[in-house]
Amino acid sequence: MFRSFSRQVVHLGDAGAGQTAKLFNNALLMMNQAAIAETVDLATRLELDPVPLVEVLKLGSAASAALSLLNTMVRPDNVDHLSAAEALDMQLFDQAMRQAGIDSTPATERGLAGVHGLTQLVHRLSA
């Protein structure tokens, strides 16, 4: 059944393990967004045009889903909605970690930095 709607099927464990993996995936995406926003900020401060820089980064070893989604799926017209959904995802991630007795504060804060910087990043790259 799973192969009918997914190219990859990986058994991760008991019921709920897939949902937990999805939380980790989303948290990592948001942490990557934070790194991209910081990189773009530094480049801008060096007076580099961030738009072609991001395009070059997409082609090199720094390529990631977080980069490839910028101005394709994540655009000025939907970034506010996506940021709100991401903030909820980070809250769910933090809640799941705390319920497991794990302090995920550094990862949660880094992910939230990516969430909060996404709107400015997308608008900076579409200007």
Side-chain angles (χ1 to χ4, degrees):
M1 176 181 79
F2 289 120
R3 293 196 197 288
S4 69
F5 59 86
S6 178
R7 286 178 283 151
Q8 301 293 325
V9 177
V10 178
H11 183 266
L12 294 170
D14 294 335
Q19 289 174 306
T20 302
K22 179 64 173 159
L23 289 174
F24 277 111
N25 178 76
N26 292 353
L28 184 56
L29 172 71
M30 290 168 241
M31 288 186 267
N32 287 339
Q33 288 171 183
I36 294 165
E38 289 171 4
T39 300
V40 166
D41 180 60
L42 291 169
T44 302
R45 290 166 44 191
L46 280 175
E47 298 182 7
L48 291 175
D49 184 343
V51 175
L53 173 65
V54 166
E55 292 308 311
V56 167
L57 294 175
K58 289 178 182 180
L59 300 172
S61 60
S64 67
L67 273 170
S68 69
L69 294 173
L70 292 174
N71 288 331
T72 56
M73 283 187 61
V74 182
R75 304 176 309 271
D77 65 315
N78 67 9
V79 70
D80 291 333
H81 170 76
L82 293 172
S83 291
E86 286 186 350
L88 176 60
D89 283 348
M90 283 311 304
Q91 290 171 359
L92 293 171
F93 171 82
D94 189 58
Q95 180 181 15
M97 294 301 103
R98 289 182 191 281
Q99 287 176 350
I102 299 169
D103 180 9
S104 65
T105 301
T108 299
E109 288 176 353
R110 185 78 174 146
L112 287 172
V115 169
H116 298 308
L118 185 60
T119 298
Q120 180 183 3
L121 174 63
V122 168
H123 286 290
R124 181 179 258 173
L125 293 176
S126 66

